[in-house]
Structure formats: C-alpha cells, structure tokens
Amino acid sequence: MRFAVTKVCASGAKARAGLLQIGSSGVETPALLLSTRKGLPAFMSPDLLSSLPLPDSLLLNVCPTHFIEVPPSKTISNIGGLHRMLGLPDHILVAAAGESTECLPSSDATNKFGASFETPAGRKLVKPSDYMELISCLQPNLWASLADEVPAWVNEKRNKTSVERTLRWLDACIALDAASGRNSLGVVVGGSSIEQRKLCATEVSKRNVSGFWIGGFGLGESVEERCSLLNAVTDCLPLEKPRIVSRLGLPEEVLEGVASGIDLFDSTYIYQLTMGGFALIFPIDMVEREMQNGVFDSSAGDSAKINLRATTYRKDMSRIVDGCTCFTCQNHTRAYLNHLINVHEMLAQILLEIHNTHHYLRFFRSIREAIKAGEFDIFWKQFVENRRSQIAAAAIRE
Amino acid sequence: MALRFEVLGRFNRARAARLTLPHFTCQTPLFMPVGTQGTIKGLTTDQLETIGCQIILGNTYHLELRPGSQLIDDLGGLHKFMNWKRALLTDSGGFQMVSLLHLADITEEGVTFQSPVDGKPMLLTPEESINIQNNIGADIIMALDDVVKTTITGPRIEEAMYRTLRWIDRCIAAHKKPDVQNLFGIVQGGLDPVLRDICVRGLVERNLPGYAIGGLAGGEDKDSFWRVVAQCTAGLPEDKPRYVMGVGYPLDIVVCSALGADMYDCVYPTRTARFGSALVPEGVLKLKQNAMATDERPIDPSCPCMVCKNYTRAYLHCLVTKDPMGSQLLSYHNLSFMARLSRDLHMSILEGRFPEFVRGFLRVQVCLALQSLFYHI
C-alpha cells in the first residue's frame, strides 16, 4: 500500500488531496468507503456495482465479524480469501471490526479479554487472537485493529480504560500479524475527552501502522464537540499516513471531516437513506446549485433528498436527478420507484442504493476537485450556505 | 391477431418455434418468469436481458390494486413504466380466485374479491379484466376463466368449464386492442376428459391467437396432470402457441414440451431462490444445509452464469435467507438455469437431437439424484 498527499490547502487549512495505491489500483482521496454486508454491498451485486464510477467504487469497507460464524476460516483460506470469495479481485477491501448496522460495539459487555459486538447471531466477544485469525484468512488490503469503542456518555474511568485496551489490542494484533502491521490501521479512540484523544493518537502514531482509523465518533457526542475532538486527533497524527473516520456520513459531516484532515470516510449513510426510501438530489456543484434555487418543492423531503414513498411522485415520469448517469436514472423514473417502494419490492432498494452511491461518489469527486483547485474553503462555505437558505426558504413556504 | 407462430422443427409432438410478438421475437419452448407487481423480485431489467428472459408476466389483480392500471396506461403502459423492452404477458386475475379463495365470491357476473390491502370489495368481470389488461398493454393477455382446483370433484367443475366458454365471448367483445395485444383462451374442465374436450372445441371455434391449458399445477397427481396436457395439446391447433399455466418444475417442462406445449410460467424458480434453494441438473441444491458451509464448489460447475462463475456454495450459504443479496444471487442463477433449459429444448428439437437431450436430462435428474442420497453431491 502506498499513500501520498498530493495537495494541501493553503492558508493553514488542513484539507488535503491524496492518492492511495494498492496493487494496480489507485484511488484519489478524500474518498468514500462503500459499506457492505458479508463483503458485498447490501443490494448491489457485482455486475451492478461495476456500473458505478471507477476507480471510486473500488473502495469497500468489510466487517470481519460478519464472518464470525460461517464460513469456517479454513474454507475461507481454501477459497483464497475475501477477494476471491466475493468475486471482487480488483477491489480495495478495508476491514474494520465494528459497524453500524449488523455489528454494533457493545461497550457494556466488552471486557479485558475482547471487544463485544451485537450481531444477528447474538452477542459475540472477539479477542485479538480471534480477530487476527479472521484477518489472516480474509486477507483484506487494509485492516483496522481491534478496538474498544465507547459512547460519549461513559465516565472518565471507562473512557481511560478504552484507550488502554485499544492500545494493548493494537500491539497484540500487530504481534499476531504475519506482516507485522504492514497493512494495519491503528484505531484511535478516546471518547469525548480531548486529553484522551490526544494521548491515544500520539501513542498509536508510535506503532508500525500504515494509517489511522479514527473510531468512537457517531456514538453520542455533540456536533460541536466532535469538531474539536477530531481536530485534536488529526493534529497528533503524522501527515504522510492516511486517516479514516467512521460514522461520519452526512454531507456536512464529511466536509467537516475533510477540513480536519480526514482522507477516507466509512459510514452507513447510503444504506440508511436507501432503507428509508430516500434518494439524494442535492446539487453537486455551483452550476447545479443555481439551477436548483427557487424551483424546489419541499413537500416531500428537503433539498438534499426526496422521499420517493410520497404520493407526489406517483405519476412523476422524471428521473431522480436530471442528467444523472447512474443506471437507475438512465433507466427508471420516480413514478416506478414510488410504486416499487410502496409495494415493498426488493428492486426499490437495489435501484436506490445504485443512485445514492453514484450521487455520493460524485459529491466526493467534487470535493477533491475543489481541493485541487485550491477552493475547498469556498466550496464548503457555499455548500453550507446553500443548505441553510434552502431550509429557510422551505420554512417560509410552510 | 398480433403474433406470428412458425414451427421451425419437430420431434414427434414436440416443436421448436419462433413466436413473433409486438415487442419481441421469441424462441419456444420457453419459460416465463413471474414479475407479479411489475418487477421480478430482486433483479433489474438489464439482468433479465443478460440472463436471456424473453417474456415476463405481470399480474392483473396486483397491478390494478397498486399502482392501478389507469395510472399505468396514463404513463404509457407497463413496458414503459418498468422499462422492459421485451415481451410481457398479463394473466387475468383468475388464479387469485384459487389462491385467495376464502376472499372470493364467484357468480355469472364475475368474481368479487375482498382486497387484502384495504378490505374493500373489488368486482372482477371478464370485461373489467380485459379493460385492465388493455390498460397495462402486455403483448399477450389472458381471458378471465372460472378456475377450480383439480382436487375438487363434482358439478362445480362442469359449471366452471361452461362458464369459461361463456366468459371468453365476453372477453373477446371487450377487447379493445386486438391488433397489438393477443388474447389467449384458457382450457378448463378439471381432470375430466369429456369436459376438457368440450372446452378445447369451444375455444378453437373462437379462433384465438393462442391457447392456454389452465387449472393444473394445483396439487393433482402427475399421472392425471400429463394426461390432461396430452389430451389438450392433441386437440389444440398445430399452428398456434400452447401455454401450460403454472408449470413449473424443470421435469414437468421437459415432459410437457415432449407432449407439444410451448410456453410455461411459474413462481417456483424465483420463490425457491428466496428460500435458499438453487436449481441444478440433479434437481435442487439446498444451500441452507450445514454441509454447504464448507463446500468450495460453485452451485453448478456447468453453469456459465455470473453467480456460478464467481461464488462458492460456502459463501452463498452465509447469505441465503439472511441477506437480500442471497435472494438476488440465487434468483439470478435459477432464472439463468430456466433460460438455459428453454434454449436447450428449442435447440435440441431444432437440431434433431431432442430424444438424446431428454435422455441425458432424465439420467442426471434420476440417477445422480439417487446417487446423492448415498454420497454428497
């Protein structure tokens, strides 16, 4: 794995563009990790996945604990690891232990032996040795170490313990790794304590890791806290290694993360939108923003997304987003999606996941463009202002 | 008549034909997957084309309920609504009489359903069924017939058969688009050869573009099933397509094709996929079984589909019945299997090797299936 920062924003801002190279695949950052279940997207089979923009859509987040029951490790190894098993030989697979839909960290049950997760098969305790056995047979391109992620409301003692455990488990994982941590991402926790966050980040930086996975966010901290915590962490991390943050999914959260020096984002935002019947429509660039101003009907959603379940779309023969080149917009109408959602057909989620992923990948592309043009600050400011004025206009209309 | 049916090859009663419909030119024998609510569950229209599906079904009863056939018509018809460029067939709503019977009341006028969605009564007359199907715009539409289960005996079967003949005339009269939509009649009569014969003659007199053999695939024993199919295909005209409704299992499709039938539909391949079962030459592979967790082979080594080229039984075992992706991948494979079966039937008849194909098919199904009882296949 090779990572290089290719552009840093001027005037002291921390946003940066970079290039992540793994094998023969190179992906520009900031970038999005697509979320998966048992390695594949929730609804997009590989033939549908391959219609998404490349190389952006090569980056997938995989949760090893999805494979804790089946198949057995030996079978996974015999098949040839994740890439072979999933039929995705060219993709960049980044593994991390907990995620927000099927493998939630259960900090109450976590103890000194291992991290506990709530899974569809019940509560599972994962020790570093269990975790590394999975990692060694799955063979992802990058893997985050096992961590003790705790919600923002735990007491100081518990928070301190989580940092100690996370560091101990990081060392244990590296020790158990045949490549001695060459493809590892050290996890940084520390809850809502700036001090603990800085401590953890500094300590993790000392280890032989290829990058950093910033965890413990999206678990109850306030939006204001998060900004300062995130910056405290990135200030302590070396510039030349990639930083990934999990559970920051909303466009505004992504922009904040980018401004704090984050390179990769892992979240279930797209999955949650899809499950709710929402389709992203927010304008990607300045031209689109101007076109959208004043012509938006807020009765079914807001200017960022529409809820295709709403009756207003029953006979709407337009595309989700005019001019969108995704499979869904090239082939189907809002009316058809409205019907599918209302009769609970699986195709609804398939088509929505395709569009939402495509749209969000375009958003990331425009972020990269803005950074490379030295205009990230303007881009961010305009995006937020545009959102505020849309919401204000909608409020006035009501 | 809005179709052309040309028999290209024969073996005894079996035929390989070209069926030219307004939206697509098909090769028969063929299997039609069922897309009840304007979609095949879990598959895109693109994937269906790649798999080789030629005609898919939509269901009149369900589509009228949601989103409504008038809305579909306003938006340009079902082809446009779901963006399916090939052929469509809609059934009349008649099958719901059998499958939702405790909600239905059948009279000479039509069938009154109690809608399972909102409890309101819905009256489906022959005229209304044809009107709805005209709105939906499928290449082939089905007459409303009075369907009874083959497991029922007594005068109800005779009543249903005569009513079906009376209703076909009402359907023909109500049909507004005979130049672009083909109305097929449905032969009823239960398992009684006398009744079946009367119905066949009655429908043939009406000179319809095609004929279906209905009222089967509902629990009758196989011996009765194939006899009825054989009798009907013998009595139906040679130069028109014959559609056995609700079939089904690959073996039944092979047998019916040998007896001279051309078209089939069933929810089985897609439904069984959602329950974790894959169709293979030996029969059915139940991916949920524990033995599958360590099985590194593809579902079917001889299958060229995307699923068999990329995935092992072990990985699919994790997904099936737990993740939507499991349903999708298995449905994809099962429909590929059925499309290949259709192609094999057409080509083997056309190329004069139908008996060899059937022998090979049966050998794998029966002998290897028996073997698998003793060894793990």
Side-chain angles (χ1 to χ4, degrees):
Chain A
M1 188 275 272
R2 277 194 319 283
F3 178 74
V5 176
T6 54
K7 174 97 191 205
V8 183
C9 271
S11 71
K14 294 157 69 176
R16 69 244 205 107
L19 182 64
L20 182 71
Q21 259 169 317
I22 298 191
S24 54
S25 307
V27 181
E28 290 183 0
T29 64
L32 176 68
L33 292 176
L34 303 185
S35 60
T36 61
R37 303 190 122 143
K38 299 197 180 96
L40 288 178
F43 304 105
M44 297 183 290
S45 50
D47 51 332
L48 300 176
L49 180 60
S50 65
S51 72
L52 290 174
L54 287 165
D56 318 36
S57 57
L58 291 178
L59 274 171
L60 299 183
N61 165 254
V62 178
C63 184
T65 18
H66 288 174
F67 299 104
I68 213 163
E69 304 250 279
V70 275
S73 310
K74 190 158 188 302
T75 307
I76 300 179
S77 298
N78 289 347
I79 293 171
L82 262 182
H83 291 81
R84 290 291 304 279
M85 190 168 72
L86 303 177
L88 300 174
D90 301 321
H91 284 65
I92 300 173
L93 305 177
V94 182
E99 51 88 22
S100 309
T101 55
E102 293 214 327
C103 195
L104 299 108
S106 175
S107 59
D108 294 340
T110 294
N111 57 36
K112 62 184 176 190
F113 298 112
S116 182
F117 300 95
E118 295 288 354
T119 74
R123 190 178 277 178
K124 301 283 169 192
L125 188 73
V126 180
K127 302 197 272 286
S129 54
D130 303 322
Y131 186 67
M132 290 313 291
E133 193 192 324
L134 276 169
I135 294 292
S136 73
C137 68
L138 291 170
Q139 308 255 305
N141 297 98
L142 293 170
W143 52 272
S145 56
L146 188 65
D148 180 11
E149 287 184 284
V150 295
W153 56 78
V154 299
N155 63 30
E156 212 181 295
K157 181 163 180 246
R158 179 68 183 89
N159 196 27
K160 205 156 167 272
T161 308
S162 81
V163 170
E164 283 160 8
R165 269 189 202 144
T166 298
L167 290 169
R168 211 171 62 238
W169 290 342
L170 169 57
D171 290 334
C173 288
I174 293 178
L176 288 162
D177 180 33
S180 308
R182 182 160 35 99
N183 296 318
S184 67
L185 302 164
V187 178
V188 177
V189 291
S192 302
S193 156
I194 298 253
E195 194 199 320
Q196 287 296 315
R197 284 277 179 186
K198 282 185 166 166
L199 170 70
C200 196
T202 312
E203 282 301 311
V204 173
S205 305
K206 295 177 185 166
R207 271 70 172 175
N208 180 28
V209 294
S210 311
F212 306 95
W213 182 284
I214 305 170
F217 286 119
L219 293 174
E221 75 285 354
S222 72
V223 174
E224 296 78 26
E225 277 186 298
R226 183 191 303 151
C227 194
S228 45
L229 290 164
L230 199 48
N231 276 291
V233 170
T234 52
D235 282 342
C236 298
L237 296 175
L239 288 168
E240 72 281 2
K241 291 185 181 174
R243 301 97 171 250
I244 307 177
V245 73
S246 60
R247 296 192 206 87
L248 296 193
L250 294 172
E252 291 85 352
E253 293 175 329
V254 168
L255 290 167
E256 246 177 44
V258 170
S260 313
I262 302 292
D263 306 298
L264 292 149
F265 293 80
D266 161 57
S267 80
T268 53
Y269 179 53
I270 289 171
Y271 175 76
Q272 279 150 11
L273 285 171
T274 300
M275 293 304 285
F278 289 96
L280 287 174
I281 59 160
F282 65 80
I284 300 289
D285 58 30
M286 223 169 43
V287 176
E288 289 183 25
R289 270 198 274 284
E290 275 164 9
M291 277 167 47
Q292 198 195 58
N293 271 330
V295 296
F296 184 74
D297 166 21
S298 70
S299 64
D302 57 39
S303 62
K305 57 190 185 292
I306 50 174
N307 188 337
L308 285 163
R309 199 185 299 272
T311 49
T312 189
Y313 299 111
R314 265 174 61 82
K315 292 177 118 183
D316 188 340
M317 287 299 276
S318 62
R319 311 290 154 176
I320 295 176
V321 170
D322 233 337
C324 176
T325 53
C326 81
F327 173 85
T328 304
C329 291
Q330 293 288 294
N331 288 284
H332 295 294
T333 61
R334 294 175 174 194
Y336 185 53
L337 275 151
N338 174 269
H339 164 67
L340 292 176
I341 293 173
N342 283 305
V343 295
H344 313 295
E345 280 285 349
M346 212 188 296
L347 187 60
Q349 279 82 47
I350 298 172
L351 296 176
L352 280 177
E353 191 177 51
I354 291 173
H355 169 77
N356 287 336
T357 307
H358 184 104
H359 197 88
Y360 222 41
L361 287 175
R362 278 189 61 214
F363 174 59
F364 273 82
R365 215 170 250 204
S366 68
I367 292 176
R368 294 194 290 270
E369 242 89 286
I371 296 175
K372 288 192 274 194
E375 288 174 1
F376 177 70
D377 278 344
I378 302 171
F379 178 91
W380 185 15
K381 196 154 164 284
Q382 274 183 344
F383 188 93
V384 172
E385 270 170 13
N386 180 258
R387 284 282 288 137
R388 285 205 190 116
S389 65
Q390 290 283 354
I391 292 167
I396 290 168
R397 269 196 291 272
E398 272 138 43
Chain B
M1 180 111 98
L3 62 76
R4 211 167 58 240
F5 185 73
E6 309 155 72
V7 176
L8 304 171
R10 288 179 195 282
F11 180 84
N12 286 353
R13 296 171 65 165
R15 326 88 83 69
R18 182 187 298 131
L19 171 64
T20 307
L21 293 167
H23 284 86
F24 197 65
T25 300
C26 316
Q27 293 180 335
T28 66
L30 58 72
F31 172 79
M32 304 180 284
V34 180
T36 307
Q37 302 192 105
T39 158
I40 305 282
K41 293 191 190 318
L43 296 170
T44 65
T45 45
D46 239 29
Q47 289 174 319
L48 294 170
E49 279 185 26
T50 304
I51 287 168
C53 298
Q54 307 182 72
I55 313 179
I56 62 185
L57 255 74
N59 187 270
T60 295
Y61 170 76
H62 290 289
L63 288 171
E64 174 63 1
L65 227 39
R66 299 179 291 191
S69 67
Q70 189 58 59
L71 183 148
I72 294 176
D73 189 37
D74 290 344
L75 300 184
L78 185 59
H79 282 93
K80 187 152 181 235
F81 187 60
M82 60 183 289
N83 197 21
W84 173 244
K85 301 184 176 65
R86 298 184 176 184
L88 281 172
L89 183 154
T90 44
D91 87 329
S92 63
F95 179 64
Q96 275 65 42
M97 281 191 248
V98 173
S99 62
L100 303 169
L101 198 56
H102 65 285
L103 300 171
D105 185 25
I106 305 159
T107 60
E108 189 61 26
E109 202 194 344
V111 185
T112 309
F113 294 99
Q114 186 185 36
S115 162
V117 174
D118 60 7
K120 291 210 292 265
M122 200 177 126
L123 174 65
L124 192 64
T125 58
E127 291 77 12
E128 191 48 23
S129 170
I130 297 301
N131 181 42
I132 294 170
Q133 294 187 74
N134 282 151
N135 284 344
I136 294 171
D139 302 73
I140 299 174
I141 67 176
M142 304 305 295
L144 185 68
D145 52 342
D146 187 355
V147 190
V148 285
K149 285 197 172 91
T150 41
T151 43
I152 288 174
T153 52
R156 175 75 186 102
I157 307 181
E158 188 173 345
E159 178 196 47
M161 186 277 288
Y162 281 114
R163 183 171 291 145
T164 295
L165 285 177
R166 291 193 293 277
W167 280 1
I168 189 68
D169 290 331
R170 288 167 62 182
C171 289
I172 293 169
H175 187 17
K176 293 194 287 287
K177 303 181 185 176
D179 53 327
V180 288
Q181 292 183 283
N182 298 282
L183 174 61
F184 278 26
I186 307 179
V187 180
Q188 294 293 343
L191 302 175
D192 184 334
V194 173
L195 295 176
R196 285 278 176 180
D197 185 53
I198 297 170
C199 203
V200 166
R201 286 176 201 279
L203 290 174
V204 172
E205 250 173 52
R206 270 82 171 171
N207 195 23
L208 295 161
Y211 300 94
I213 301 164
L216 295 174
E220 71 282 352
D221 63 288
K222 288 299 174 192
D223 214 37
S224 311
F225 164 74
W226 75 258
R227 281 179 210 283
V228 173
V229 174
Q231 184 198 353
C232 292
T233 52
L236 288 168
E238 279 293 303
D239 60 347
K240 292 183 178 174
R242 299 125 170 209
Y243 163 28
V244 187
M245 304 184 80
V247 169
Y249 298 123
L251 179 58
D252 293 345
I253 290 177
V254 172
V255 168
C256 290
S257 299
L259 294 172
D262 312 296
M263 300 160 66
Y264 311 94
D265 86 280
C266 195
V267 293
Y268 173 66
T270 36
R271 182 175 290 169
T272 208
R274 296 194 296 280
F275 291 125
S277 291
L279 297 177
V280 291
E282 296 83 3
V284 172
L285 192 69
K286 294 199 167 96
L287 284 156
K288 274 187 70 171
Q289 287 177 334
N290 287 332
M292 295 291 120
T294 51
D295 195 330
E296 296 155 30
R297 294 173 289 177
I299 291 173
D300 174 12
S302 73
C303 177
C305 86
M306 180 262 292
V307 179
C308 292
K309 288 273 153 269
N310 286 289
Y311 299 108
T312 55
R313 298 171 182 193
Y315 180 62
L316 292 166
H317 169 81
C318 306
L319 294 177
V320 292
T321 73
K322 298 208 183 85
D323 293 284
M325 185 60 63
S327 296
Q328 285 179 43
L329 294 177
L330 245 55
S331 296
Y332 191 105
H333 165 77
N334 285 359
L335 288 187
S336 302
F337 181 91
M338 299 305 288
R340 271 197 312 145
L341 177 64
S342 305
R343 253 193 311 279
D344 287 343
L345 285 166
H346 176 86
M347 293 308 294
S348 65
I349 298 169
L350 198 63
E351 293 173 357
R353 47 181 181 81
F354 185 60
E356 290 87 340
F357 171 74
V358 176
R359 275 198 284 271
F361 177 88
L362 291 173
R363 187 182 314 126
V364 175
Q365 281 244 323
V366 177
C367 302
L368 289 184
L370 280 175
Q371 250 183 52
S372 77
L373 289 177
F374 300 102
Y375 311 106
H376 260 303
I377 282 214

